[in-house]
Amino acid sequence: MFRSKFLLIFLLMVTLSSVLPASESILKQGRALQRERKFDEALQLYKNGLKQNPTEDLYVEAGALLGKMQKYENAETVLEKGLQDFAESKSLRNLLALIKIRKGDKAKAKALLEEVLAKDPENGFAKKWLAKVDAGDVDDADQETAASQDVKPAQASSGSSITGTVSTGAYRVDSSLSKDEQKALAVKLYQEMMDLEKWELDSFKELHRKVIEKCPLTDQAEESCWRLSNLYLLGEDPPDFQNVIEVLEHLLKQYPNTPLMPDAKNRLLVSYQQSGQMDKVVTLYEELFTLDPDPIDEKVFMVRALEFADALSAVGRTSDAQLWYQKIIERDDGKDSLEARVARERLSAGQ
């Protein structure tokens, strides 16, 4: 069904959000403030949370934010306190090592990374950064990492610096590499993602975007479109519907035969509704009712028809909306379903 799966997930998310622990609520609020570039407010929120109920994730988020703000001394203090409370935390050690690298203290960074690997020999983040420290190339690598964290307003990860590209909406596809070269690069970028810590959301986004733009002939590019939409939808609070729309519109334009199409259109529909783009809701439903004019499931038809009618009304197509409200009432055939009651109310109100 076109919407039922997403509605089930959405309802589950709403249910879970009502019982989130305090620290999780603080993290969500803080990340929302960071997206608005209200870094000081977010930091104060994390500090208050750490005073009331310190958790490993709060220490990580506060330390990462201080690193983004280039307040490395403060970041060290927070992360070292976190390790006193959570001595076994690999995430805190890895993040503290990264802060040490940014300060130029490679010896202490190496010691921290080795501690992580002693407990977890396959820890991808620690292996990657220890190799960089040993190779002496952490300066360039650190600059790249810092740039991906979106600290300064002038920095962006839109791919606008790519030359010789073809623009598809918000994305700029670069096909200068051969197909084999693209496959090799996509594998490399996915390996880099495997080595990331869970708190490196900006880096995940940046790497998925690189796959989409630089490896368009690979299966990974389609997968990255979907995974990036997941990050915008489920990793943000509130969800970043505009970025969900941009990446999924790119997916459908670039890969019209993608097997992800039903799920992508489902997610696009919800994103259009939530962002008030009712003209696009109308377009999607016109397409849907053309392809599937009479769904077997009665409830599916009623829900779709009501949403379609409401969208038509919202864009000023009142007479078309009234025709669909009437279809809902006729289809109901006296059963007095919720959708039929709403349709009658809409008609009475002249919508």
Side-chain angles (χ1 to χ4, degrees):
M1 293 185 290
F2 189 70
R3 297 185 67 253
S4 59
K5 181 166 68 174
F6 187 87
L7 286 173
L8 179 61
I9 296 172
F10 178 76
L11 290 172
L12 179 60
M13 289 170 59
V14 170
T15 302
L16 290 174
S17 66
S18 65
V19 295
L20 283 175
S23 62
E24 188 66 22
S25 176
I26 291 171
L27 288 170
K28 286 181 175 291
Q29 293 176 53
R31 288 165 185 162
L33 288 169
Q34 289 187 64
R35 288 195 300 278
E36 296 173 7
R37 314 204 67 78
K38 297 178 180 178
F39 298 129
D40 290 332
E41 292 181 34
L43 183 59
Q44 190 58 51
L45 190 66
Y46 297 146
K47 287 181 177 179
N48 292 340
L50 286 170
K51 288 178 182 178
Q52 297 168 10
N53 181 31
T55 67
E56 180 183 358
D57 285 342
L58 273 176
Y59 277 119
V60 166
E61 198 73 26
L65 177 55
L66 285 165
K68 291 179 184 182
M69 297 168 73
Q70 299 182 11
K71 296 183 177 181
Y72 300 134
E73 298 288 342
N74 293 341
E76 279 182 321
T77 300
V78 167
L79 294 170
E80 286 169 356
K81 177 64 168 65
L83 282 171
Q84 291 176 17
D85 293 344
F86 300 95
E88 300 302 313
S89 173
K90 290 173 285 189
S91 291
L92 287 169
R93 274 187 176 76
N94 277 336
L95 183 53
L96 182 56
L98 185 57
I99 296 297
K100 298 288 188 185
I101 288 171
R102 292 183 183 179
K103 288 186 64 183
D105 192 347
K106 300 175 186 177
K108 289 186 178 179
K110 181 174 181 177
L112 286 162
L113 295 168
E114 287 174 342
E115 287 178 16
V116 172
L117 291 172
K119 298 180 180 183
D120 179 10
E122 297 306 314
N123 188 281
F125 183 96
K127 287 171 68 176
K128 177 181 72 174
W129 283 96
L130 183 59
K132 290 178 184 293
V133 171
D134 287 339
D137 65 351
V138 292
D139 292 334
D140 292 339
D142 181 45
Q143 290 301 315
E144 179 182 351
T145 300
S148 74
Q149 297 301 316
D150 191 28
V151 179
K152 299 177 182 177
Q155 294 172 332
S157 58
S158 63
S160 57
S161 62
I162 300 173
T163 59
T165 62
V166 177
S167 176
T168 57
Y171 291 80
R172 297 171 64 82
V173 176
D174 182 354
S175 298
S176 59
L177 298 177
S178 69
K179 187 171 183 178
D180 287 342
E181 288 172 329
Q182 289 185 33
K183 286 181 178 179
L185 178 57
V187 170
K188 176 179 178 293
L189 293 172
Y190 264 76
Q191 183 59 54
E192 288 184 33
M193 283 186 252
M194 291 177 63
D195 292 341
L196 292 175
E197 284 273 16
K198 64 179 181 180
W199 39 264
E200 296 183 277
L201 292 180
D202 291 333
S203 295
F204 277 112
K205 292 175 185 175
E206 178 69 15
L207 289 169
H208 278 305
R209 186 155 195 138
K210 284 183 179 179
V211 173
I212 293 167
E213 294 186 327
K214 290 186 171 293
C215 312
L217 300 179
T218 67
D219 292 339
Q220 287 93 335
E222 293 183 52
E223 183 178 352
S224 280
C225 287
W226 184 251
R227 291 194 179 196
L228 188 53
S229 80
N230 282 337
L231 289 172
Y232 289 131
L233 182 67
L234 305 175
E236 306 281 3
D237 184 30
D240 186 346
F241 289 113
Q242 189 53 46
N243 270 314
V244 172
I245 289 168
E246 288 178 353
V247 69
L248 292 181
E249 285 183 342
H250 171 82
L251 170 67
L252 296 181
K253 183 176 181 179
Q254 188 75 9
Y255 309 102
N257 298 316
T258 178
L260 293 169
M261 182 179 292
D263 288 329
K265 287 189 174 181
N266 178 24
R267 184 167 288 182
L268 269 175
L269 176 62
V270 174
S271 299
Y272 289 148
Q273 290 170 326
Q274 292 297 317
S275 58
Q277 299 184 47
M278 304 310 288
D279 56 328
K280 293 186 176 181
V281 174
V282 167
T283 299
L284 268 183
Y285 268 127
E286 285 177 334
E287 176 186 332
L288 176 61
F289 276 111
T290 298
L291 296 174
D292 188 16
D294 191 18
I296 296 175
D297 190 310
E298 186 75 10
K299 186 67 174 179
V300 169
F301 174 85
M302 300 294 271
V303 170
R304 288 180 182 176
L306 182 58
E307 290 190 349
F308 184 28
D310 285 346
L312 287 166
S313 179
V315 299
R317 292 171 56 178
T318 305
S319 59
D320 290 335
Q322 290 176 342
L323 287 174
W324 276 94
Y325 290 135
Q326 191 60 47
K327 284 184 182 180
I328 293 168
I329 294 169
E330 293 171 358
R331 186 73 169 253
D332 180 68
D333 194 25
K335 293 189 287 292
D336 197 33
S337 66
L338 173 61
E339 292 78 16
R341 292 197 299 272
V342 172
R344 283 192 289 270
E345 290 174 4
R346 299 280 199 270
L347 285 175
S348 297
Q351 295 181 341

